[in-house]
Amino acid sequence: MIQASQKGRAMSIRVRFAPSPTGYPHIGNIRTVVFNWLFARQQNGGFVLRIEDTDRERYVSDALRVIEDSLEWLGIDWDEGPGIGGDYGPYVQSQRLAIYKQKAEELIDTGKAYRCNCPTERLEQVREALRAKGKTPMYDGRCREKPMGAVSPDEPHVIRLKVPPEGTTTFHDMLRGEITFENRLIDDQILLKSDGFPTYHLAVVVDDHMMEITHVMRGDDWIPSTPKRILLYRAFGWELPIFVHVPLVLGPDGKKLGKRHGATSVDEFRRQGYLPDALFNFLALLGWAPGEGEEQEVFSREELIERFDIRRINLSSAIFSYDKLDWMNGYYIRQMSEQKLLQHLIPFWADAGLISTPVPTEMLPTLRLLVPLVQERIKTLRDAVKLTDFVFVDIETPPVEELIGKKMTAKESLTAIREVQHLMGTLVQFTAEAMEQPMRDLAETLGLKAGQLFGIVRNAVTGKRVSPPLFGTIQALGREQTLKRLENAEKALVAHIEAQQKA
RNA sequence: GCCCCCAUCGUCUAGUCUGGUCUAGGACACAGGCCUUUCAAGCCUGGUACAUGGGUUCAAAUCCCGUUGGGGGCACCA
């Protein structure tokens, strides 16, 4: 953690991630967080985590914990925030209510805001009427016209911003330039709700100002409501931060990524067996590219920090490609040391109920044998489970058709199985290296292609047509299990041949 | 409905700001091939894109305008 910035460090940039604990952080928001974090780390600036828990109705109790866990898992650290504090705290908005209230009252005193006690039903009616006329639904300003004091501070009410009825409001976006809105289409935004909590607009402006945030980088779904906040900054007489609206991340259907798109929360990606470094790399490249003819796709965190450039963020939204993420994750897996991969794999085997944790010492050699076998075959860590489950649990003897080799009879297959049984039973060293050549020799002796023989054995021993390399698999399985499964296969073939003869 | 943003292969993108070097490059995915005990991995090859109409210019993917398309927003939600 770097020391929280002092006011004197005017040169230092400060950005923030300000999630609302109404759900788990999803991958689209996190992509924007990645941009913020990369920028902060590159500029040696501050990265602030602030919790915007001003919606009491949608509050999810464990969301804060999951948000923190997700960030930590992805290797995104923050310099100030809940738990660790900082010079600008508290960093949880529900602990700052007095500030927002005071700021809202200030605006009433200066004539920039007013109290409104219109009931919800009336507001809905007003909006509906405007909608029916094809106009933008918004508040009609009834309470705005009332004399000061008409709505008592003691009765239930909200505080609204007085938006100029005419003219335009323009702000500068670092990526898009000037964006202009007509004031007559901007609603008299509620700043303070009747429950005493601020709305997003008030809280974010007050906090970004007080916390000296220099760059407000967020999704471009916030563009249409930005003028409301620009007006707020002006009402307070505060300097504007630099606005950077980054494009949204879309689901495969082209719509804003959300709960309906299946696995979207960071937590789900973790559970599915994605590596944090791979996900981070992928996310950094979603809507941003180093350019300059660069064709590299895999970047270390350090490289990304070094090369990230806000100005190179794309303007159009990007569809989240699970295919490319899978490829990248597989790539990272292949780059990993076997020892490291083993450590990553253990929790997944354990979750599947295939092994217990802590891993029993006698189980470790088996796992170590399995790692190189699966390493280049899996795209996610969880893929290893299906690829190796037969090593840990008993298999069903496969249907007899699977035990008969290509272009072979049942009898020939039976002979082959018996020869393999003999071979496996008499091997001095039960290792992949020791069995490969004898097995190849055996195939030749039997007049079979290696593939024919190995196919039969693969089915007999793994119960599958597709498996990791056969000899490594057999070694991992061990002599006892191998012989047992070969015996079962032999019995199945014998039964099949007898049945054929009777018919 | 109104407002705002955006527009290069199916997808992520390079190239657009500083027009010519772009018969548009890379990656993922897909197809074929090689390798091979299956599946992968790896290597090789292939197809697919400047939304559209008008300008400006000797020259436009690149600049301007319209159209179309896509997305987002219009709450006492963030």
Side-chain angles (χ1 to χ4, degrees), chain A residues 180-317:
Chain A
T180 300
F181 291 83
E182 288 188 60
N183 290 342
R184 65 182 177 84
L185 298 175
I186 303 173
D187 208 353
D188 273 5
Q189 182 58 47
I190 292 179
L191 303 177
L192 205 67
K193 302 186 253 185
S194 57
D195 63 3
F197 278 65
T199 59
Y200 169 80
H201 307 282
L202 207 220
V204 79
V205 166
V206 168
D207 286 351
D208 282 345
H209 174 258
M210 294 182 73
M211 296 180 183
E212 298 187 31
I213 299 302
T214 58
H215 294 67
V216 171
M217 200 185 321
R218 62 185 162 210
D220 68 16
D221 48 343
W222 290 106
I223 289 179
S225 59
T226 298
K228 292 174 178 179
R229 295 182 295 277
I230 299 291
L231 260 12
L232 248 184
Y233 275 100
R234 290 198 190 135
F236 283 122
W238 291 339
E239 196 182 335
L240 295 174
I242 294 167
F243 293 106
V244 188
H245 288 98
V246 306
L248 297 177
V249 177
L250 273 27
D253 61 350
K255 306 280 186 208
K256 183 175 167 182
L257 199 63
K259 309 101 207 158
R260 294 185 182 184
H261 290 99
T264 54
S265 80
V266 173
D267 197 50
E268 284 172 290
F269 281 92
R270 182 182 60 71
R271 289 202 307 266
Q272 285 191 16
Y274 290 94
L275 265 9
D277 286 347
L279 186 57
F280 186 93
N281 189 161
F282 176 78
L283 254 20
L285 258 34
L286 197 58
W288 175 80
E292 292 171 26
E294 179 59 77
E295 290 176 357
Q296 187 178 334
E297 301 275 341
V298 178
F299 295 93
S300 70
R301 210 164 280 254
E302 293 69 32
E303 286 176 304
L304 289 170
I305 290 172
E306 164 88 27
R307 308 184 67 160
F308 183 71
D309 181 355
I310 286 187
R311 289 164 304 184
R312 293 197 51 84
I313 293 174
N314 273 292
L315 263 34
S316 52
S317 37

Side-chain angles (χ1 to χ4, degrees), chain A residues 4-16:
Chain A
S5 311
Q6 299 300 307
K7 300 208 173 192
R9 291 177 55 194
M11 288 285 95
S12 185
I13 65 103
R14 288 170 60 81
V15 294
R16 83 298 195 271

Side-chain angles (χ1 to χ4, degrees), chain A residues 2 4 28 39 96 98 110 137 146 166 232 383 413 423 443 450 456 473:
Chain A
I2 61 171
F39 181 57
R96 302 169 63 82
T110 55
K146 293 178 182 170
E166 291 164 0
L232 248 184
D383 287 345
S413 300
L423 198 162
I456 300 172
T473 301

Side-chain angles (χ1 to χ4, degrees), chain A residues 188-490:
Chain A
D188 273 5
Q189 182 58 47
I190 292 179
L191 303 177
L192 205 67
K193 302 186 253 185
S194 57
D195 63 3
F197 278 65
T199 59
Y200 169 80
H201 307 282
L202 207 220
V204 79
V205 166
V206 168
D207 286 351
D208 282 345
H209 174 258
M210 294 182 73
M211 296 180 183
E212 298 187 31
I213 299 302
T214 58
H215 294 67
V216 171
M217 200 185 321
R218 62 185 162 210
D220 68 16
D221 48 343
W222 290 106
I223 289 179
S225 59
T226 298
K228 292 174 178 179
R229 295 182 295 277
I230 299 291
L231 260 12
L232 248 184
Y233 275 100
R234 290 198 190 135
F236 283 122
W238 291 339
E239 196 182 335
L240 295 174
I242 294 167
F243 293 106
V244 188
H245 288 98
V246 306
L248 297 177
V249 177
L250 273 27
D253 61 350
K255 306 280 186 208
K256 183 175 167 182
L257 199 63
K259 309 101 207 158
R260 294 185 182 184
H261 290 99
T264 54
S265 80
V266 173
D267 197 50
E268 284 172 290
F269 281 92
R270 182 182 60 71
R271 289 202 307 266
Q272 285 191 16
Y274 290 94
L275 265 9
D277 286 347
L279 186 57
F280 186 93
N281 189 161
F282 176 78
L283 254 20
L285 258 34
L286 197 58
W288 175 80
E292 292 171 26
E294 179 59 77
E295 290 176 357
Q296 187 178 334
E297 301 275 341
V298 178
F299 295 93
S300 70
R301 210 164 280 254
E302 293 69 32
E303 286 176 304
L304 289 170
I305 290 172
E306 164 88 27
R307 308 184 67 160
F308 183 71
D309 181 355
I310 286 187
R311 289 164 304 184
R312 293 197 51 84
I313 293 174
N314 273 292
L315 263 34
S316 52
S317 37
I319 292 174
F320 190 93
S321 164
Y322 289 87
D323 273 343
K324 189 154 186 180
L325 173 61
D326 280 351
W327 164 77
M328 190 167 277
N329 203 58
Y331 189 93
Y332 270 81
I333 287 174
R334 273 171 258 134
Q335 297 301 309
M336 233 183 244
S337 71
E338 290 179 11
Q339 174 58 31
K340 204 171 172 195
L341 181 54
L342 173 63
Q343 294 310 318
H344 277 88
L345 250 19
I346 285 171
F348 286 85
W349 277 318
D351 276 357
L354 298 177
I355 62 172
S356 54
T357 47
V359 181
T361 321
E362 65 274 17
M363 183 58 98
L364 270 174
T366 303
L367 300 184
R368 286 206 190 94
L369 286 170
L370 253 19
V371 170
L373 263 29
V374 300
Q375 184 158 25
E376 62 186 27
R377 274 163 251 273
I378 56 177
K379 295 195 181 300
T380 68
L381 297 169
R382 206 166 69 175
D383 287 345
V385 170
K386 277 188 185 157
L387 217 48
T388 60
D389 54 2
F390 63 87
V391 174
F392 304 97
V393 295
D394 285 340
I395 60 163
E396 301 238 333
T397 303
V400 75
E401 314 86 71
E402 301 294 341
L403 297 170
I404 299 172
K406 281 179 191 166
K407 297 177 187 168
M408 289 172 68
T409 65
K411 273 190 178 169
E412 288 168 334
S413 300
L414 177 59
T415 304
I417 286 281
R418 284 179 168 156
E419 290 295 333
V420 173
Q421 276 180 284
H422 176 72
L423 198 162
M424 291 297 163
T426 54
L427 267 181
V428 179
Q429 294 269 352
F430 200 77
T431 65
E433 299 74 42
M435 67 184 74
E436 172 149 5
Q437 197 51 50
M439 281 288 284
R440 289 188 184 280
D441 293 344
L442 175 60
E444 200 174 323
T445 307
L446 293 170
L448 298 173
K449 286 188 176 174
Q452 287 177 295
L453 178 64
F454 298 174
I456 300 172
V457 177
R458 183 189 313 283
N459 272 294
V461 166
T462 70
K464 305 177 189 214
R465 285 188 195 181
V466 174
S467 82
L470 187 56
F471 305 120
T473 301
I474 288 176
Q475 182 184 351
L477 190 60
R479 195 195 305 258
E480 190 188 331
Q481 271 297 316
T482 302
L483 289 174
K484 186 178 144 199
R485 292 178 188 188
L486 286 170
E487 192 185 328
N488 288 340
E490 183 205 359

Side-chain angles (χ1 to χ4, degrees), chain A residues 114-132 135-144 146 151 156-160 187-194 199:
Chain A
Y114 60 94
R115 298 183 207 279
C116 168
N117 61 359
C118 290
T120 312
E121 305 80 63
R122 194 183 99 74
L123 300 177
E124 279 166 10
Q125 282 167 18
V126 169
R127 277 195 293 265
E128 203 36 60
L130 284 165
R131 233 188 296 267
K135 295 190 174 177
T136 302
M138 53 197 287
Y139 181 56
D140 62 358
R142 167 183 280 202
C143 292
R144 177 176 170 141
K146 293 178 182 170
V151 179
H157 68 284
V158 301
I159 295 179
R160 286 182 185 271
D187 208 353
D188 273 5
Q189 182 58 47
I190 292 179
L191 303 177
L192 205 67
K193 302 186 253 185
S194 57
T199 59

